[in-house]
Amino acid sequence: MLIRVKRGWEMSEREATPEAVYRDRRRLLQGMVATPLILGMGSVLSACDDNVAEAGDAVLVAAADPKPDPSAGLYPVTHNLRYKLDRPVTDEELATTYNNFYEFGSSKNIHRAAQQLPIRPWMVRFDGLVEQPFEMGVDELLAKMPLEERLYRHRCVEAWSMAVPWSGFGLRQLVEFAKPLSGAKYLKMTTLHDPDVMRGQRASWYPWPYVEGLTIEEATNELAFIATGLYGKPIPRQNGAPLRLVTPWKYGFKCIKSVVAFEFTDKRPVGFWEELQGSEYGFWANVNPEVAHPRWSQATEQVLGSDERVPTQLYNGYGEFVADLYADKQNERLFM
């Protein structure tokens, strides 16, 4: 007889918030206080508070209605039942208006300014240690990838969290599509660099463009995901359109947005936050409640949209999927 052992973070489908409820519900953001970091030059920093504007610039720009996303007809996509939650899905209103995107400003309230982001044409480059470097448009890429929806938890290094339905495809499929050479040990990803539109990139003290990296083993783990949609629609600009990395066992600053380049390399990439403040934000960035950030505890998290604090779980509750990736790396700084 086959006995299925329930994972520690898992709940049944009947316990999840029904789709009709989480799509229609609108609650006000309660009790969320961003934790600022102060570094050199008096600029406000926080590794999950992904936005800053050049001194003197207004962050919120009155944006014209953006052009509709041409991929809208692809959504909603099939829901993958393998990935479940231990809490209700976060309100769409909150998840799409409480955002981190330093390219558009240091405030969480950058969703209006981000509407300036042009998402077509959007070319994606694959280079480095691959059989043949190439570039293609995002819509051609989407046509070649198996799209699905997954429910994932997101844990910010600032100790707030949310749970959302991402649509997209496994990063493993993208790696296989790029055909890396055997010498490729890491995947380096780069965000669009366009200071005329992304006004935060005018801040010269930041190491633009935004870069992040994973080992090939992490990139090909089944949880690693490229999000192209959210809440059954194309992913909004403020959430990282049109391509955003999602690695739910890591802190959110690893989840690079608006990716334009995937480079396969034999050298460990230095990410944006690691380069800026390596003593606080390391390469691995796995969630661990017992390893405090140098300036605040990681033992609990505040669920976005409520005043509830809940215990943080090791690897954000996804240890059964990813702990084996780090079994031989105990001498590394794995968690912050």
Side-chain angles (χ1 to χ4, degrees):
M1 180 176 66
L2 178 63
I3 299 176
R4 184 180 182 275
V5 178
K6 189 175 180 181
R7 295 183 174 92
W9 47 265
E10 188 173 329
M11 72 176 184
S12 67
E13 282 296 301
R14 62 183 175 82
E15 295 176 277
T17 302
E19 180 177 1
V21 175
Y22 80 67
R23 291 195 191 285
D24 294 338
R25 188 178 55 196
R26 291 294 183 268
R27 294 177 301 190
L28 293 177
L29 179 62
Q30 301 172 1
M32 296 306 303
V33 179
T35 306
L37 291 117
I38 306 298
L39 295 180
M41 300 189 185
S43 56
V44 179
L45 292 178
S46 187
C48 229
D49 180 17
D50 263 275
N51 309 276
V52 71
E54 187 177 32
D57 280 345
V59 174
L60 294 179
V61 179
D65 289 338
K67 293 181 180 178
D69 192 313
S71 70
L74 299 176
Y75 306 95
V77 294
T78 301
H79 179 68
N80 190 328
L81 296 176
R82 178 168 170 77
Y83 307 101
K84 302 179 186 295
L85 296 174
D86 65 345
R87 64 187 63 173
V89 171
T90 301
D91 266 353
E92 180 179 353
E93 179 79 9
L94 299 181
T96 58
T97 58
Y98 189 83
N99 305 114
N100 303 303
F101 209 159
Y102 260 94
E103 284 80 353
F104 288 101
S106 60
S107 167
K108 288 291 194 298
N109 185 24
I110 53 79
H111 58 281
R112 293 185 183 89
Q115 302 314 304
Q116 300 289 330
L117 179 68
I119 57 173
R120 296 296 189 281
W122 191 276
M123 301 302 295
V124 187
R125 187 174 71 255
F126 299 85
D127 59 15
L129 298 177
V130 294
E131 289 184 8
Q132 180 66 48
F134 63 98
E135 188 176 51
M136 67 168 47
V138 67
D139 292 304
E140 183 181 358
L141 178 63
L142 290 177
K144 296 178 182 297
M145 292 293 117
L147 299 181
E148 63 181 58
E149 181 181 73
R150 298 183 183 184
L151 299 177
Y152 275 169
R153 289 167 52 185
H154 174 91
R155 175 59 158 79
C156 181
V157 74
E158 294 172 340
W160 61 266
S161 63
M162 65 179 180
V164 297
W166 299 108
S167 299
F169 52 88
L171 182 53
R172 177 189 296 173
Q173 282 70 46
L174 188 74
V175 170
E176 293 172 351
F177 179 71
K179 298 181 179 178
L181 302 176
S182 60
K185 305 300 181 186
Y186 301 93
L187 175 58
K188 175 183 175 182
M189 292 154 281
T190 304
T191 294
L192 176 70
H193 187 245
D194 186 353
D196 289 340
V197 172
M198 305 168 93
R199 297 163 66 87
Q201 291 177 337
R202 301 177 188 181
S204 60
W205 53 89
Y206 289 110
W208 305 114
Y210 201 106
V211 167
E212 257 309 335
L214 300 172
T215 66
I216 291 296
E217 292 77 18
E218 290 175 319
T220 55
N221 180 273
E222 69 166 282
L223 285 184
F225 198 65
I226 295 294
T228 63
L230 188 60
Y231 293 94
K233 293 170 282 191
I235 187 170
R237 288 160 170 83
Q238 64 270 24
N239 292 96
L243 300 174
R244 176 220 173 103
L245 175 68
V246 178
T247 47
W249 70 99
K250 292 180 175 288
Y251 289 114
F253 68 87
K254 293 291 288 187
C255 296
I256 185 171
K257 305 173 184 70
S258 301
V259 181
V260 293
F262 296 89
E263 177 186 352
F264 294 84
T265 176
D266 58 359
K267 297 178 176 59
R268 182 188 292 186
V270 178
F272 179 92
W273 284 102
E274 185 182 7
E275 182 172 346
L276 194 63
Q277 190 76 340
S279 63
E280 298 188 355
Y281 308 105
F283 172 80
W284 300 102
N286 298 314
V287 176
N288 188 335
E290 297 183 1
V291 178
H293 185 279
R295 287 174 287 109
W296 58 81
S297 171
Q298 296 290 4
T300 63
E301 60 200 64
Q302 187 167 349
V303 179
L304 187 63
S306 80
D307 57 4
E308 178 187 11
R309 294 198 73 89
V310 299
T312 291
Q313 299 179 56
L314 181 64
Y315 296 111
N316 203 22
Y318 294 102
E320 291 154 288
F321 287 101
V322 300
D324 62 322
L325 291 173
Y326 310 105
D328 61 347
K329 296 179 174 62
Q330 296 309 307
N331 294 326
E332 294 270 6
R333 186 166 160 262
L334 294 176
F335 298 109
M336 191 68 65

